[in-house]
Amino acid sequence: MIADAALLARAEALVRAYGAAGKTLATAESCTGGLVAGLITAVPGSSAVLERGFVTYSNEAKAESIGVPMALIVAHGAVSEPVARAMAEGALAASRADLAVAVTGIAGPGGGSTEKPVGLVHFGLAVRDGTTRHVARRFGDPGRGEIRRLSVEQALALLEDALAGEGA
């Protein structure tokens, strides 16, 4: 769990806002390993908002749990826009949630390349009966923990924007 008072405050506000709107969400996480869902569930009453979370760290988990086509992973790599979108859409399809956020990236310290360096993270946000949004961030290499924290922050921002009408 990330011990960050500002992020917890944002999660509390998010749970209140989603609860008031009668909306539920799902998560599909790779490099964050469940930290987004973990932060949300740190908030009392979050069970009314978080419908479910998927930790799909391996390529096989992405394919088996949320239906990301293995051919898509092979063609673009797990850390890519098409896979982030497919993860969000797959989490939505495998749940009863209204929205799903997905995170896939390279937290390091190894695993990066010139094309896909450590700190590259792709995010997807799928809205039921709506569109799927993508955001890519290059956080640099401030360390594994910080990349993961920044990724949680970005996932929360997507969920906040979606409820505000920017992604829904």
Side-chain angles (χ1 to χ4, degrees), residues 23 92 97-99 126-132 167-168:
K23 299 286 185 184
L92 201 57
D98 298 301
L99 298 97
V127 179
R128 194 166 303 283
D129 300 323
T131 59
T132 301

Side-chain angles (χ1 to χ4, degrees), residues 28 68 72 77-90 100-104 121-126 132-135:
V68 176
L72 196 66
V79 179
S80 64
E81 176 178 348
V83 170
R85 287 177 179 275
M87 287 173 65
E89 291 166 358
V101 67
V103 185
T104 182
V121 184
H122 288 271
F123 302 85
L125 179 81
T132 301
R133 186 172 168 210
H134 167 262
V135 171

Side-chain angles (χ1 to χ4, degrees), residues 7-28:
L7 281 178
L8 183 57
R10 285 177 66 190
E12 290 170 346
L14 189 79
V15 167
R16 280 194 308 274
Y18 270 75
K23 299 286 185 184
T24 58
L25 58 97
T27 63

Side-chain angles (χ1 to χ4, degrees), residues 47-114:
S47 61
V49 171
L50 184 67
E51 204 277 326
R52 69 187 72 191
F54 300 91
V55 176
T56 56
Y57 205 70
S58 71
N59 292 341
E60 292 75 16
K62 289 173 183 64
E64 294 168 10
S65 298
I66 54 176
V68 176
M70 193 57 78
L72 196 66
I73 295 169
V74 170
H76 300 281
V79 179
S80 64
E81 176 178 348
V83 170
R85 287 177 179 275
M87 287 173 65
E89 291 166 358
L92 201 57
S95 72
R96 294 183 178 104
D98 298 301
L99 298 97
V101 67
V103 185
T104 182
I106 304 167
S113 67
T114 303

